[in-house]
Amino acid sequence: MNHLLLVKELVQAYQAFEMHSGAHIKEMGLTTTQFDIVATLGNQPPMTCKELGEKTLVSKGTMTGVLERLEAKGLIEKFMNTDDGRSYKIGLSKSGDRLFKKVFPEHVEYLGKSIGKLSKKEIEHAVTVLREVKTIFK
């Protein structure tokens, strides 16, 4: 039953992180899913919805609505996919790129202030253990 203690701590750690991170993202005027998409598209060439879904782990059903809202805000643009005329690629618009350049470093710094309370050795150990846990479920 020791594994239930690990499951509980993993879930609670994830929930605490999401609450902390999500509050800051909300202050910047985005949802966590919108931030994930903007951050993924930042400094990248346009990509297909499928590629974006694989990089963000956003479900297809959720992706459509989020992309529509980001497009309505003028943060993303759709481009013809020259590799496959049946689909399109998505990239940040100029205003989306400006937003990315503002919110991404700001959020990285915000998270760094909290995670920075751990020593370098503690961070390395946590990463090692979490990678080991992740491989169990692959």
Side-chain angles (χ1 to χ4, degrees):
M1 296 295 263
N2 284 341
H3 67 282
L4 293 180
L5 178 59
L6 174 61
V7 169
K8 178 183 174 187
E9 292 300 325
L10 280 171
V11 169
Q12 289 178 339
Y14 176 74
Q15 289 172 335
F17 172 80
E18 278 294 303
M19 209 161 113
H20 180 74
S21 176
H24 185 247
I25 290 169
K26 187 175 181 178
E27 286 175 15
M28 296 187 293
L30 297 169
T31 67
T32 54
T33 307
Q34 290 172 337
F35 178 84
D36 190 11
I37 290 171
V38 169
T40 301
L41 290 172
N43 294 328
Q44 298 292 317
M47 58 186 78
T48 65
C49 281
K50 183 179 181 203
E51 291 168 329
L52 190 55
E54 290 167 354
K55 290 179 187 267
T56 61
L57 302 177
V58 176
S59 70
K60 186 176 180 180
T62 302
M63 181 71 73
T64 302
V66 174
L67 291 177
E68 286 172 357
R69 286 184 285 284
L70 288 173
E71 187 175 27
K73 288 181 174 186
L75 299 175
I76 62 167
E77 296 176 335
K78 294 179 182 175
F79 304 92
M80 287 295 299
N81 184 353
T82 55
D83 301 327
D84 180 357
R86 299 169 292 167
S87 67
Y88 55 90
K89 292 189 176 188
I90 300 153
L92 291 179
S93 65
K94 287 182 182 180
S95 63
D97 188 55
R98 282 192 302 274
L99 178 69
F100 165 76
K101 287 177 178 166
K102 177 190 180 304
V103 299
F104 187 75
E106 189 178 312
H107 193 60
V108 168
E109 181 180 340
Y110 174 80
L111 295 177
K113 288 177 184 174
S114 298
I115 296 171
K117 294 174 184 173
L118 299 172
S119 70
K120 183 179 178 186
K121 187 174 182 176
E122 288 171 321
I123 292 170
E124 289 171 356
H125 180 69
V127 168
T128 299
V129 171
L130 288 171
R131 284 181 178 157
E132 289 172 11
V133 169
K134 186 170 63 175
T135 62
I136 294 168
F137 299 105
K138 284 189 172 185

